[in-house]
Amino acid sequence: MTSAIPVPAMTAPAVVAQHVQKVYGSGSAAIWALRDASLTVHAGEFVAIMGPSGSGKSTLLQLLAGLDVPTAGTIVLHGRCVSAMSDDQATAFRRRHVGFVYQSFNLFADLTVEENVAVPLMLDGSRPAEIRVRVADALARLGLSGRREHTPGRLSGGEMQRVAIARALVSEPAVILADEPTGNLDSASSERVLRDLRRAVDETGRTAIMVTHDPAAAAHADRITRLRDGVFVDA
């Protein structure tokens, strides 16, 4: 089995975004999603980002994950400048160091729970024996061992999101990014999912950044910061 990705020391910044701008279009048609966003998140910290619709929250998360590139500014994750990477470099980095949880779950409907969770490891070329061990461990941590042969259509919304969290954790990433992870869930399911995220941070020392509109969800974080018009107002 390959060794786990080392998680930075608690005192080290895990995520640093400096003067990040993101502009779509140009001239009079330009749309500024982010104007001058700077944020530092330390290893082992759980940070919630709040703000009104259109404030740039989800755009920032996409940039942090290397799914898009900023128009200006720099983004450093786990000691690497993500904003300077090529597409291939960003993809390889994301597979090993970043776990992403989406509001819409983004599970493969025709794959079982076990197979869905295994996808990141399969894409990264992990050995079958290692995949089995890691997937079983991730499912056990999320209380999903009894659902491993189910397809997503046989799961509740809360269970599907817990599968998404298991998939995000299975590669042992240094940073977990969650975009409105409870947006499609009822209050009881939301609470379970948030406890699972909180436990993932507390038990492993990983870093989590969550975008949310829900103050109750944000209350699970160590710190809440707010975006308004593409700028952090209290970072």
Side-chain angles (χ1 to χ4, degrees):
M1 183 183 299
T2 59
S3 59
I5 295 167
V7 178
M10 183 64 182
T11 56
V15 179
V16 180
Q18 293 184 314
H19 306 295
V20 174
Q21 299 178 2
K22 183 62 181 180
V23 185
Y24 298 99
S26 60
S28 60
I31 299 175
W32 287 77
L34 293 168
R35 294 182 177 274
D36 186 11
S38 294
L39 177 70
T40 297
V41 180
H42 289 272
E45 190 176 19
F46 185 175
V47 172
I49 300 175
M50 300 189 72
S53 297
S55 61
K57 303 185 303 298
S58 292
T59 297
L60 178 64
L61 224 58
Q62 296 285 312
L63 297 177
L64 293 178
L67 292 166
D68 200 355
V69 294
T71 304
T74 59
I75 295 172
V76 176
L77 260 74
H78 197 53
R80 296 281 303 279
C81 187
V82 178
S83 52
M85 293 179 181
S86 67
D87 287 345
D88 288 345
Q89 289 172 331
T91 297
F93 178 85
R94 187 166 53 249
R95 285 176 183 167
R96 296 180 175 93
H97 298 274
V98 181
F100 209 111
V101 181
Y102 298 88
Q103 176 179 350
S104 56
F105 318 134
N106 280 23
L107 301 178
F108 294 99
D110 56 343
L111 298 184
T112 65
V113 164
E114 190 174 46
E115 291 166 339
N116 267 283
V117 174
V119 166
L121 298 176
M122 294 173 65
L123 291 174
D124 203 37
S126 297
R127 292 178 291 115
E130 179 181 355
I131 291 174
R132 286 193 295 272
V133 171
R134 286 201 180 188
V135 169
D137 181 64
L139 293 178
R141 285 175 178 271
L142 274 297
L144 292 166
S145 297
R147 297 287 191 268
R148 64 186 183 85
E149 295 183 355
H150 288 51
T151 54
R154 297 176 61 192
L155 304 177
S156 67
E159 288 172 331
M160 284 191 284
Q161 193 60 291
R162 284 157 55 206
V163 173
I165 294 172
R167 182 182 58 191
L169 293 174
V170 75
S171 297
E172 300 181 351
V175 180
I176 304 165
L177 304 175
D179 192 359
E180 297 283 2
T182 60
N184 289 330
L185 305 180
D186 58 39
S187 57
S189 297
S190 296
E191 181 65 21
R192 172 66 188 268
V193 164
L194 291 163
R195 288 201 308 267
D196 288 335
L197 277 174
R198 179 75 258 180
R199 188 172 66 250
V201 173
D202 293 341
E203 291 183 353
T204 66
R206 288 179 173 81
T207 306
I209 301 175
M210 175 178 66
V211 161
T212 182
H213 282 94
D214 184 2
H220 287 259
D222 299 312
R223 174 164 60 101
I224 300 171
T225 186
R226 291 172 172 80
L227 262 176
R228 183 178 299 128
D229 299 325
V231 179
F232 281 103
V233 295
D234 54 4

